[in-house]
């Protein structure tokens, strides 16, 4: 059987080992055995050929330059021997004449020498790896097929590949990152918040939470004992609530209220004014100390004012509204005073001793929100809305209330009222508190002496309580007509400014802002 020549291709680094084997670029046991078999077959054929004396090549007389020799009896042996022994080329035969003109006149190898050369397997021709297409193969011992298969099937990371080598986090790094994420998740507000509205998107009559009952009695019709009551007159109703008005300055009407428990409370009231000289403002007193004034200006329609404060059990509270201007040709109206626990002013409700079935509002839709910050709960877009089944009134008018979410304020470092140290003031105080990411501030007292429209920095709020940008408010001065303003800067600086030079300026303000 003749030897079939093998085709060798260059090794392609972009292909897999298996693809390079199929493409003839890798020496395999099959290919090597094929070459060995071919060499063995050639050796056998050569030996057989050498032993064949019956003209295996079918040489003709013409091929050996004897085409002109007749096939007749030859000379006698003695004549032939004599002729053979004649070394002088009696016939003067030339190499050309016997077809050997291409043969170099050198000594030829003997049969023994030829056989020895054929059986020499030590690369007598100095064949190189490149000549047999193996120049890419290192001259090292190759893995056995069983070793190779064992390596392939080893799934226990036989190369000891590390996380960094494949661009991944190590276990320690992963644990750290998961710990950080878990910490942020743990810090999320986990409460479920409830809101109500009269449209499926929450935009109509939206209220974050069902209305709380009023902690103050007699606010629907101004019943009971109200200070300065005789100085105010009845003037119809607003949203079903009795309205009272006053056409003179000062003398707001109010009920003194005693705080039942330590906590956060929200105060609210409907206010309206007319005329150019009202200068309406809201006053807030704690234990007889006038703490906060909020200025609303002149000639405005009904608005609902609210403020939130942290108070202690037993505190005596007064909040009221009055005209601080001359009140000439001006009027102030008030209705619906309300005090309730928590941070939010919910829609007006009477107190628990006065509430009736008809007072409970019947909202068409209820919204739920979970896992968001409290600062987001005033946006109806953050709620999932559905038909309301929390507060249901049957045909007889009986009201069923269920599944209401009541917000509670936990006692922690954020809900402790802090006092800011001030410099360059006479007797002013500044208190602040952070609740669920919102900072609430109250300040009042004698702010000292001021140049004309020159800001004075009187303190600095610590990090964690600072606004995202400069945050300002107007300040209502006591005992004067000059205007004051306050600003808390993003770096925490508290600046106070008077619109004119004056001494011993009293004033109060309040503000709130989110902390980023």
């Amino acid at each position: 059987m003749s030897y079939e020549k093998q085709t060798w291709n260059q090794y392609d680094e972009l292909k897999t080992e298996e693809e390079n084997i199929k493409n003839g670029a890798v020496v395999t046991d099959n290919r090597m055995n094929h070459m060995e078999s071919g060499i063995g077959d050639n050796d056998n054929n050569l030996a057989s050929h050498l032993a064949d004396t019956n003209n295996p090549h079918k040489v003709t007389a013409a091929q050996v330059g004897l085409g002109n020799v007749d096939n007749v009896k030859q000379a006698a042996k003695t004549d032939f021997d004599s002729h053979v022994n004649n070394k002088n080329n009696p016939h003067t035969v030339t190499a050309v004449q016997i077809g050997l003109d291409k043969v170099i006149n050198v000594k030829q190898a003997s049969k023994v020498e030829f056989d020895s050369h054929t059986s020499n397997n030590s690369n007598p021709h100095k064949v190189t790896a490149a000549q047999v297409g193996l120049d890419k193969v290192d001259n090292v011992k190759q893995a056995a097929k069983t070793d190779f298969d064992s390596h392939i099937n080893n799934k226990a990371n036989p190369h000891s590949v590390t996380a960094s080598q494949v661009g991944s986090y190590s276990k320690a790094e992963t644990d750290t990152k998961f710990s950080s994420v878990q910490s942020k998740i743990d810090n999320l507000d986990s409460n479920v918040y409830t809101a109500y509205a009269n449209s499926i998107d929450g935009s109509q009559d939206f209220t974050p939470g069902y209305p709380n009952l009023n902690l103050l009695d007699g606010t629907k019709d101004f019943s009971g004992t109200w200070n300065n009551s005789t100085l105010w007159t009845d003037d119809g109703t607003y949203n079903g609530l009795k309205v009272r008005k006053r056409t003179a300055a000062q003398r707001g009407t109010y009920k003194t209220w005693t705080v039942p428990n330590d906590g956060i409370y929200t105060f609210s009231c409907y206010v309206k004014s007319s005329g150019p000289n009202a200068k309406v403002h809201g006053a807030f007193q704690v234990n007889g100390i006038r703490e906060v004034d909020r200025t609303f200006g002149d000639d405005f329609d009904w608005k609902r004012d609210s403020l939130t404060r942290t108070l202690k059990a037993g505190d005596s509270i007064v909040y009221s509204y009055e005209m601080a201007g001359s009140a000439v040709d001006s009027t102030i109206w008030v209705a619906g005073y309300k005090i309730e626990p928590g941070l939010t002013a919910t829609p007006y409700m009477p107190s628990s001793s006065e509430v009736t079935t008809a007072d409970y509002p019947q909202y068409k839709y209820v919204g739920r929100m979970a896992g968001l910050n409290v600062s987001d709960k005033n946006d109806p877009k953050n709620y999932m809305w559905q038909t309301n089944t929390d507060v249901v009134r049957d045909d007889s008018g009986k009201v069923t209330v269920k599944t209401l979410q009541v917000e509670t304020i936990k006692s922690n470092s954020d809900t402790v009222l802090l006092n800011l140290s001030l410099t360059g003031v006479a007797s002013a105080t500044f208190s602040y508190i952070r609740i669920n990411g919102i900072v609430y501030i109250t300040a009042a007292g004698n702010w000292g002496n001021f140049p004309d429209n020159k800001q004075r920095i009187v303190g600095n709020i610590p990090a964690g309580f600072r606004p995202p940008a400069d945050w300002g408010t107007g300040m209502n001065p006591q005992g004067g007509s000059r205007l004051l303003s306050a600003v808390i800067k993003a770096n925490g600086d508290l600046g106070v400014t008077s619109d004119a030079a004056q001494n011993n300026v009293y004033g109060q303000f309040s503000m709130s802002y989110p902390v980023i």
Side-chain angles (χ1 to χ4, degrees):
M1 181 177 179
S2 61
Y3 175 76
E4 182 180 354
K5 181 181 178 182
Q6 299 291 296
T7 300
W8 299 92
N9 295 314
Q10 188 168 354
Y11 191 92
D12 191 344
E13 299 290 347
L14 300 179
K15 294 182 178 180
T16 65
E17 190 73 2
E18 184 177 355
E19 289 174 337
N20 275 300
I21 289 173
K22 289 182 178 180
N23 194 38
V26 177
V27 175
T28 64
D29 54 344
N30 289 335
R31 285 182 172 266
M32 291 299 296
N33 288 333
H34 178 80
M35 290 188 290
E36 290 291 338
S37 295
I39 293 172
D41 290 343
N42 285 342
D43 285 343
N44 293 333
N45 291 338
L46 179 60
S48 175
H49 182 74
L50 292 174
D52 186 357
T53 60
N54 292 322
N55 192 13
H57 294 290
K58 308 299 183 183
V59 179
T60 64
Q63 290 172 333
V64 295
L66 300 176
N68 295 322
V69 177
D70 293 332
N71 186 19
V72 297
K73 186 177 180 178
Q74 303 301 308
K77 180 67 166 64
T78 54
D79 295 333
F80 179 75
D81 290 338
S82 175
H83 182 80
V84 169
N85 292 326
N86 185 350
K87 309 301 183 182
N88 295 318
N89 190 11
H91 297 288
T92 318
V93 178
T94 66
V96 175
Q97 291 174 329
I98 59 173
L100 298 176
D101 55 315
K102 302 298 184 183
V103 178
I104 300 174
N105 187 22
V106 294
K107 183 179 180 181
Q108 305 300 310
S110 66
K111 177 65 167 63
V112 174
E113 292 172 328
F114 180 77
D115 290 343
S116 174
H117 178 82
T118 300
S119 61
N120 184 352
N121 296 323
S122 300
N123 193 13
H125 293 288
K126 309 299 182 183
V127 177
T128 65
Q131 291 171 336
V132 296
L134 299 176
D135 54 313
K136 304 296 183 183
V137 180
D138 292 332
N139 185 27
V140 294
K141 185 177 180 180
Q142 306 300 310
K145 180 68 165 59
T146 54
D147 294 334
F148 182 76
D149 290 343
S150 175
H151 181 80
I152 292 294
N153 294 324
N154 186 351
K155 308 301 183 183
N157 193 14
H159 295 288
S160 301
V161 177
T162 64
S164 62
Q165 290 173 336
V166 296
S168 180
Y169 291 123
S170 67
K171 182 180 183 302
E173 291 172 328
T174 302
D175 289 345
T176 298
K177 291 184 180 296
F178 271 116
S179 176
S180 175
V181 172
Q182 186 62 51
S183 176
K184 292 179 181 179
I185 292 174
D186 292 341
N187 288 331
L188 286 176
D189 189 343
S190 60
N191 285 340
V192 175
Y193 295 97
T194 304
Y196 297 88
N198 283 319
S199 61
I200 190 60
D201 63 354
S203 60
Q204 182 178 346
D205 301 325
F206 170 80
T207 177
Y210 198 79
N212 292 317
L213 293 177
N214 205 331
L215 298 178
L216 193 63
D217 293 331
T219 60
K220 187 173 184 179
D221 56 6
F222 288 96
S223 61
T225 302
W226 288 77
N227 286 277
N228 298 324
S229 177
T230 58
L231 303 179
W232 291 70
T233 59
D234 295 342
D235 191 19
T237 62
Y238 177 71
N239 286 344
L241 303 169
K242 179 180 284 189
V243 174
R244 284 199 158 180
K245 72 175 181 179
R246 177 167 168 78
T247 56
Q250 310 300 327
R251 302 292 185 173
T253 186
Y254 59 89
K255 268 190 172 183
T256 301
W257 179 70
T258 302
V259 178
N261 299 295
D262 291 358
I264 296 176
Y265 297 88
T266 295
F267 301 79
S268 59
C269 183
Y270 291 107
V271 186
K272 175 185 175 181
S273 79
S274 69
N277 300 300
K279 292 184 173 55
V280 173
H281 71 117
F284 189 81
Q285 295 183 13
V286 179
N287 299 324
I289 299 175
R290 188 161 180 158
E291 181 183 282
V292 176
D293 277 349
R294 294 171 317 289
T295 302
F296 303 107
D298 304 314
D299 198 20
F300 55 86
D301 202 355
W302 284 109
K303 64 173 63 178
R304 192 174 188 216
D305 174 49
S306 68
L307 72 156
T308 299
R309 290 291 176 268
T310 299
L311 301 169
K312 296 186 177 298
D315 283 346
S316 179
I317 305 299
V318 169
Y319 81 106
S320 64
Y321 300 85
E322 58 191 25
M323 289 188 288
S326 65
V328 175
D329 298 324
S330 298
T331 304
I332 180 175
W333 291 269
V334 294
Y337 283 68
K338 185 178 182 182
I339 304 173
E340 59 191 303
L343 296 166
T344 304
T346 62
Y348 176 84
M349 288 283 280
S351 67
S352 59
S353 63
E354 301 169 315
V355 69
T356 66
T357 297
D359 292 319
Y360 287 96
Q362 179 60 43
Y363 294 101
K364 295 179 181 179
Y365 301 96
V366 60
R368 299 277 193 267
M369 176 181 71
L372 295 175
N373 293 329
V374 172
S375 59
D376 295 327
K377 74 180 211 174
N378 293 319
D379 187 348
K381 295 185 181 65
N382 291 329
Y383 291 81
M384 296 290 292
W385 293 96
Q386 63 185 45
T387 302
N388 178 23
T389 58
D390 286 354
V391 182
V392 180
R393 183 181 293 111
D394 61 21
D395 293 338
S396 68
K398 179 180 178 181
V399 174
T400 301
V401 181
K402 60 180 181 178
T403 321
L404 294 186
Q405 174 70 27
V406 178
E407 179 183 345
T408 59
I409 305 301
K410 299 178 180 178
S411 177
N412 54 44
S413 60
D414 277 2
T415 59
V416 175
L417 193 65
L418 304 172
N419 294 315
L420 183 67
S421 177
L422 301 177
T423 59
V425 302
S427 63
T429 60
F430 183 102
S431 299
Y432 60 100
I433 185 172
R434 183 180 63 212
I435 303 174
N436 292 317
I438 304 295
V439 172
Y440 300 88
I441 290 172
T442 62
N446 185 342
W447 297 90
N449 303 331
F450 285 85
D452 187 6
N453 285 315
K454 299 290 186 180
Q455 186 181 86
R456 293 171 47 227
I457 303 300
V458 298
N460 183 272
I461 293 184
F465 295 86
R466 296 170 179 173
D470 291 358
W471 209 275
T473 184
M475 187 189 302
N476 185 27
Q478 286 182 290
S481 60
R482 301 264 51 99
L483 297 180
L484 294 175
S485 63
V487 61
I488 299 175
K489 300 182 180 181
N491 65 0
D493 283 347
L494 168 61
V496 181
T497 305
S498 170
D499 71 338
Q502 54 187 330
N503 298 329
N504 294 320
V505 180
Y506 287 81
Q508 301 113 37
F509 71 91
S510 64
M511 68 169 72
S512 61
Y513 51 78
V515 176
I516 296 179

